[in-house]
Structures are given as structure tokens and as C-alpha cells.
Amino acid sequence: MTTPLRVMVVDDTITYRMIVKKVVESLPNTEVISTASNGRVAIDRLGNQQQLNAAQMPHLVLLDVEMPVLDGLATLKEIRSRFPEVHVVMVSSASRSNANIVMECLNAGAMDFVTKPMETDVSKAREALIHDLDPILTLIASKHTEELPSEAKPIPSVQPLANRQSVPLRSTLRTASPISSFSPASPILSPLAGLSGKLTVDFKPDLLLIGSSTGGPAALGKVLSGFGKKLPIPTLIVQHMPPVFTASLAAQLSRISGLTVEESEEGMMVEPGRIILAMGGKHLTIKSQKSQLVVNMNEGPKVNECRPAVDVLFLSVMSQFSGHVLAVILTGMGRDGAKGVEALKRGGKTYCITQDQASCVVYGMPRSVEEVGLSDESISLSDIGKRVAQLCFQDS
């Protein structure tokens, strides 16, 4: 039998501790082995457990942001320092002040965060928490399985990269033909040299698109910092995130990178050098308005269980933009982005970079692009920003 996922719940409100405990234990093969009323108590219990039986340490701590004695951020930093094998997911109310703290937590090593449900009805609150926690717990359980001895692991049937066939790129500008009518043409790209070598790719982008999810906030900071200076093209980013939090993320990315990152607004011009981050809770698309591309947002149905969704933006670009597109898929759960990259590849000139498995918090979204041969380059997170800059500034 698979070892249950062991969870610690830390919250200063006894009612909420009990709600979270019941939610976690309602999920399959998961158990709450400890609770704590503040961060100091949690750290002490983790230390005692490590001394008594390290093999029974929690796999995951669900950590409240606002607590007395030792708050969530300080507790997270101590857990990451003393117990690095323990995953931490922050639990936060959806307030602007808490959003700022959550962004700091994600940058300091928290794996992800969930919001406390706004519903006053306990059953509805439990349903909302189950919806948010289930994929995270499933992910951490799979990571735990991957860490088991090799004889206990299932053998994946993933085709080696060397045997995959890339989807050819169009040799002419897109003519907005539907995917079903696409016929392969000769690739316009040759393989890229290493970062220290000469760039051998005949491709210069007119627009940069980035998609990310779990682990994305920290990854985005590293990518944007790697640019070195403002790009000569627009950048559109979709990070899976609920409302309120994306404004704080945009501010944090601006501080980290030294570039200006703006949360999307209706009618915003898509201009060279501008970096636009999709507003949480709304899909980001673009539309042509008097020969100028502008931001268009909507609250349409979730796509891939997400709003904003990467696929929605990418499909919008495919239908509205005829220039060269550089698509970057970073760490994240699920398959969001794969259909969008396919549409861009079939509809026009697109080069796709994916974050490699070793540097991903979650190798889900990049894997979904890699495994169907849509990634032109899979590289480490630390190199992606520099590679994007090389493509944008070559021959300039």
C-alpha cells in the first residue's frame, strides 16, 4: 500500500484548523498528523518529530499567513532553512496586504498558495477548499512517489527527446488558416547554439508570450531579470492566479527585474518594451484596433480549469497577430499552453522554449509541450531570460 501523504495544518483559528483538517482527510490516501496554532509551535513540533522519528515527518505544511507569535513568512523561512524536505503551501485570505506577503512567501520557497474561501456556508467553504487543495496534494503525493526507491516506482513510457519529431514552422506569415488545413512546410529555424556559442537561428521575434503556473512567480522573476534591459518587443504573461494577487505579483516582478511589469487593463496598448501580466480571474486576449494591438479581457468560462488561461491568450494571438512569436512555457501543473503552442505553430512563425524538468517546481505544462514535439528548446530556468534576450537583440 502507498504511504499516506502526511500533512501538518498551521492556523491560529481553531475553527479553521478543524475545517482544513477535515478537508485534507476527506481526500484519498492523506492524513493530518499534526496541527499548530502558530508558527513557533509548528517549528517546535517539526523539530521534535525530526528527533523522535524523521521518517514520519510531514510531507507538507499548510501554513496560514497571518498568525501571532511567528507569522507565516517567518515560519516559512525557518522551515525552508531547517527542514528543506518539507513542502509548504500558504493559506491566505484574499486581501491586498496578504497578497503582498504571499508573493514574498512564493519568492522565499513556498510551493504554492490557496485562498481561504469567502463563503460563510461551511459546506460550500469545504467544497471550495477541496477544489483548490486536491490537485496540490495529488502533486505532492506524486513527488513523494518519485522519491521512493527505484524498484518501487512505475516506469514511465516517455519517448526520448532524440526520437521526437518537431512540428515544422510555417515559412511564410500566417494567413489565419484553420488548424485542420495546416500542411507541413520546411522549418525556418536551425538548431540553436549553446549560450556561449554563436546564435545560429534565423528567427527574431516580434512578440513574447510567457505562460506559467505552480512555481511561476519565482520563475518569472528569474526570467525577467535575465533580460538585462528592456526588450524591443511587447511581452504578455499569463500566470495562473486568482484576483487581487496579480497586482502584487506585478509589483514584485518590477522590483526584482528592474523592469516595469503592469497588471493588464482593458484597452491597454500592446507596445514594444511593455510587459503586461494577465489580471487574476480574467482571461487576457488581444484584439486589433485601428492597426494597433490592444488588451481585451473577459470572464469567460475557465479553460484547463484556469482563468486566466495560457491557451486563451495564445489562441487569441494566433488569430490577431501576423508577426513572429516567441512562446515560453514555464513550470506549472497541467497541460495549459500545449494547445495554444500548437495553434501558433500551425498558424504562423513561432519558436517555443520550455523550462527543463530539472529546474521546474512542477514539470507539467512544459512536459505537455515537450512530449508532442512542440518545444524547439528545453533549457534551464537560469538560462531562459538570456536566451530570450539573444533572440530579441540579435543583429541589432
Side-chain angles (χ1 to χ4, degrees), residues 65-381:
V65 170
E66 292 184 297
M67 294 182 296
V69 185
L70 196 66
D71 65 21
L73 180 58
T75 304
L76 166 70
K77 289 179 177 178
E78 193 160 345
I79 291 175
R80 299 305 301 152
S81 174
R82 293 179 54 185
F83 317 105
E85 72 283 1
V86 177
H87 299 287
V88 179
V89 170
M90 308 307 296
V91 183
S92 170
S93 59
S95 67
R96 183 56 57 85
S97 60
N98 271 16
N100 292 335
I101 298 171
V102 167
M103 292 308 112
E104 290 188 61
C105 291
L106 294 174
N107 208 43
M111 183 176 186
D112 207 342
F113 75 98
V114 296
T115 55
K116 292 185 176 181
M118 302 294 290
E119 291 86 353
T120 54
D121 183 277
V122 175
S123 62
K124 289 184 178 179
R126 289 183 71 252
E127 288 176 9
L129 267 177
I130 289 172
H131 179 270
D132 289 343
L133 283 175
D134 189 17
I136 294 174
L137 296 180
T138 301
L139 169 66
I140 296 173
S142 69
K143 280 180 169 285
H144 167 61
T145 301
E146 289 171 2
E147 291 163 4
L148 292 173
S150 58
E151 60 269 19
K153 299 179 189 177
I155 299 175
S157 56
V158 178
Q159 188 181 10
L161 278 173
N163 295 333
R164 297 181 198 159
Q165 296 296 314
S166 294
V167 174
L169 303 179
R170 296 292 294 271
S171 58
T172 58
L173 288 178
R174 189 194 63 261
T175 57
S177 57
I179 288 177
S180 60
S181 65
F182 171 74
S183 58
S186 299
I188 63 169
L189 305 181
S190 55
L192 287 172
L195 281 168
S196 59
K198 183 180 179 181
L199 198 63
T200 62
V201 59
D202 181 21
F203 181 85
K204 192 170 184 179
D206 302 304
L207 177 66
L208 171 62
L209 305 177
I210 304 177
S212 56
S213 185
T214 309
L220 287 168
K222 292 180 180 178
V223 169
L224 298 185
S225 297
F227 292 171
K229 58 183 177 179
K230 182 188 291 188
L231 298 181
I233 63 172
T235 299
L236 300 174
I237 303 171
V238 171
Q239 161 67 42
H240 295 162
M241 195 166 276
V244 179
F245 293 89
T246 43
S248 295
L249 176 58
Q252 183 191 67
L253 292 175
S254 297
R255 289 194 301 272
I256 291 172
S257 68
L259 304 171
T260 300
V261 180
E262 303 171 84
E263 186 184 42
S264 64
E265 295 180 6
E266 186 70 24
M268 182 180 280
M269 298 290 186
V270 180
E271 300 170 323
R274 198 167 202 176
I275 303 173
I276 300 173
L277 173 70
M279 178 184 290
K282 293 188 177 184
H283 289 308
L284 170 63
T285 63
I286 61 169
K287 64 180 179 180
S288 181
Q289 183 174 292
K290 296 180 180 179
S291 73
Q292 170 68 51
L293 291 177
V294 298
V295 165
N296 182 227
M297 301 191 300
N298 68 77
E299 296 183 21
K302 291 184 177 181
V303 175
N304 303 312
E305 295 294 318
C306 303
R307 190 176 57 234
V310 178
D311 278 342
V312 171
L313 172 62
F314 284 20
L315 289 167
S316 167
V317 170
M318 185 274 291
S319 68
Q320 297 290 315
F321 186 68
S322 59
H324 292 190
V325 176
L326 175 58
V328 177
I329 302 295
L330 301 177
T331 175
M333 283 190 282
R335 302 185 58 83
D336 193 24
K339 288 183 178 178
V341 172
E342 180 186 18
L344 286 168
K345 289 265 191 175
R346 292 178 181 272
K349 292 181 177 180
T350 296
Y351 192 80
C352 181
I353 296 173
T354 51
Q355 183 178 345
D356 69 4
Q357 183 172 4
S359 64
C360 279
V361 173
V362 184
Y363 188 54
M365 287 166 56
R367 183 199 293 272
S368 71
V369 176
E370 276 268 344
E371 290 185 342
V372 291
L374 294 170
S375 174
D376 296 291
E377 230 186 326
S378 176
I379 57 178
S380 173
L381 174 63

Side-chain angles (χ1 to χ4, degrees), residues 32-51:
V32 174
I33 62 170
S34 180
T35 63
S37 58
N38 62 61
R40 178 49 56 202
V41 173
I43 294 294
D44 290 343
R45 289 182 178 170
L46 286 170
N48 290 337
Q49 184 61 60
Q50 190 178 58
Q51 290 182 351

